[in-house]
């Protein structure tokens, strides 16, 4: 079972940048999709960006419309980490950001994004953007 640990959240002003990282351990299938999700206060968790499949030259990147052109997802397979670079941040980007991997473990929250179901989650990291 994968273990996912996010880092890099914080508090910034609108227009500034944040970089998130997710350290992965445990078993993750070599062709799994990896992704970033977020959950704002009072809202459902939603997909932000994904890499499908991980680690290959033929992977596809998926982005939510709200973040296209501002956020970039990437992976360092040698370090077993994925990243989310967030630019031109807006107050609406304020949320807890979660790293996730593809899978459907019993009893877990499942969200479909980029054509895959994500069911393994990190603990989340808060990004707070003030105006």
């Amino acid at each position: 079972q994968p273990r996912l640990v996010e880092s890099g959240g914080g508090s910034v002003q609108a227009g500034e940048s944040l970089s998130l990282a997710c350290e992965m351990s445990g078993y993750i299938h070599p062709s799994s999709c990896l992704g970033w999700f977020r959950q704002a206060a009072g809202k459902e968790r939603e997909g932000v960006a994904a890499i499908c499949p991980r680690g290959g030259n033929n992977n596809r990147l998926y982005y939510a419309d709200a973040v296209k052109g501002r956020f970039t997802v990437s992976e360092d397979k040698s370090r077993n980490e994925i990243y989310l670079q967030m630019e031109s941040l807006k107050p609406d980007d304020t949320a807890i950001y979660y790293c996730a991997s593809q899978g459907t473990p019993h009893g877990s929250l499942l969200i479909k994004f980029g054509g895959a179901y994500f069911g393994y989650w990190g603990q989340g990291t808060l990004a707070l953007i003030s105006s």
Side-chain angles (χ1 to χ4, degrees):
Q1 178 159 333
R3 182 170 182 263
L4 310 168
V5 180
E6 303 93 338
S7 62
S11 179
V12 298
Q13 298 284 323
E16 295 183 341
S17 303
L18 275 175
S19 295
L20 306 183
C22 175
E23 182 178 348
M24 303 178 290
S25 59
Y27 179 74
I28 300 176
H29 192 280
S31 63
S32 289
C33 296
L34 304 173
W36 288 95
F37 292 72
R38 67 185 182 186
Q39 187 165 15
K43 295 187 177 181
E44 294 187 349
R45 195 171 301 185
E46 62 179 4
V48 173
I51 299 175
C52 289
R54 64 176 300 210
N57 294 325
N58 296 318
N59 55 31
R60 294 188 63 182
L61 305 182
Y62 297 88
Y63 294 97
D65 288 343
V67 307
K68 281 181 182 176
R70 300 189 298 121
F71 289 14
T72 303
V73 61
S74 61
E75 179 188 14
D76 186 335
K77 193 176 181 182
S78 65
R79 297 174 62 90
N80 231 18
E81 294 183 347
I82 64 169
Y83 310 98
L84 186 67
Q85 178 65 33
M86 305 188 292
E87 307 282 351
S88 302
L89 284 162
K90 307 174 182 179
D92 283 351
D93 294 318
T94 294
I96 298 174
Y97 284 75
Y98 297 89
C99 174
S101 68
Q102 183 178 4
T104 56
H106 180 69
S108 179
L109 172 67
L110 298 179
I111 300 177
K112 188 176 182 181
F113 184 74
Y117 281 96
F118 291 79
Y120 294 101
W121 304 94
Q123 82 289 350
T125 185
L126 175 63
L128 180 62
I129 296 85
S130 55
S131 58

